[in-house]
Amino acid sequence: VLSISDNAQNDMPWLVNRYAPADVYTTDFKTLEKTYSALAEKQANYNLIIVSIDPETNLNKKRFGLSDHAQSVLDRLVYSKSVIFVWNGNPNALLNLDNANRYQAILNSYEPTDYTQDLVTQAIFGGRAISGSLKRKVKTLYEKGAGIATQKTRLGYGIPEEVCIDRKNLSQLDEIVDK
């Protein structure tokens, strides 16, 4: 897993390791090339690489947060390995993505939050069913309406309210356990 973000709070290592042991490389945009080099040295050991990128804030608005440098790293990875790309920003950035047809999957979570990171990780590992379709045509690669639907294939993680349990009742259990 390669997680690229200027946000210091990154739960990706913990989230991924709930499902499978994985090497996780976290980096900001300034040290991206150094981190990529470390990953490249070991990439022969991997059959799949998950790349999660948050938008870079200091970019031309036409790039929608996906820098040329980040795209260069993606291109180098996708030509050597199966890659699942998770974009945590404006979906218009994906219009700038080269080689979109080479990815195993592309997921767009719209914004980098703890909740979206959790749900995307669960979806990748089969803990959540997902579906989505494109609102517009992407170059000549994908027509408007193209998309995917997956089934839940394993146990997922949720919040108490998803199974009609009041969170306050669980906090009472926590108090008993803590005694």
Side-chain angles (χ1 to χ4, degrees):
V1 176
L2 174 60
S3 180
I4 306 166
S5 175
D6 282 334
N7 182 359
Q9 172 66 26
N10 189 336
D11 288 332
M12 188 63 85
W14 177 79
L15 294 168
V16 168
N17 282 292
R18 290 189 304 183
Y19 284 101
D23 293 334
V24 180
Y25 299 83
T26 57
T27 187
D28 57 26
F29 292 98
K30 291 177 185 163
T31 59
L32 176 56
E33 199 60 38
K34 181 179 176 184
T35 304
Y36 169 75
S37 295
L39 174 103
E41 288 178 14
K42 292 185 175 181
Q43 75 179 3
N45 300 329
Y46 309 131
N47 60 357
L48 174 71
I49 298 175
I50 301 168
V51 181
S52 175
I53 303 179
D54 292 356
E56 194 169 355
T57 54
N58 300 331
L59 289 181
N60 179 322
K61 290 187 185 225
K62 290 182 181 180
R63 299 285 311 168
F64 298 100
L66 183 60
S67 68
D68 288 329
H69 188 208
Q71 187 168 333
S72 168
V73 167
L74 283 169
D75 287 344
R76 286 180 271 166
L77 287 171
V78 81
Y79 273 101
S80 60
K81 290 290 174 188
S82 292
V83 174
I84 295 175
F85 174 40
V86 178
W87 173 244
N88 301 308
N90 186 325
N92 288 322
L94 300 175
L95 294 170
N96 297 315
L97 192 62
D98 291 331
N99 308 305
N101 58 333
R102 296 190 60 93
Y103 292 88
Q104 183 90 13
I106 300 171
L107 289 91
N108 183 211
S109 71
Y110 291 88
E111 59 182 283
T113 67
D114 294 345
Y115 189 63
T116 57
Q117 270 190 343
D118 187 15
L119 292 176
V120 165
T121 304
Q122 289 186 60
I124 290 169
F125 286 95
R128 293 272 175 175
I130 59 170
S131 64
S133 61
L134 295 172
K135 304 286 186 241
R136 63 168 55 164
K137 182 178 178 174
V138 178
K139 301 182 182 178
T140 58
L141 296 173
Y142 302 103
E143 294 296 322
K144 178 181 176 182
I148 190 171
T150 67
Q151 300 296 315
K152 180 178 176 176
T153 58
R154 66 190 305 174
L155 207 57
Y157 296 86
I159 57 173
E161 290 77 11
E162 287 180 300
V163 289
C164 301
I165 296 174
D166 186 348
R167 186 180 304 257
K168 292 174 190 168
N169 293 340
L170 291 178
S171 66
Q172 293 170 351
L173 289 173
D174 286 340
E175 288 174 18
I176 293 170
V177 171
D178 289 340
K179 288 183 180 181

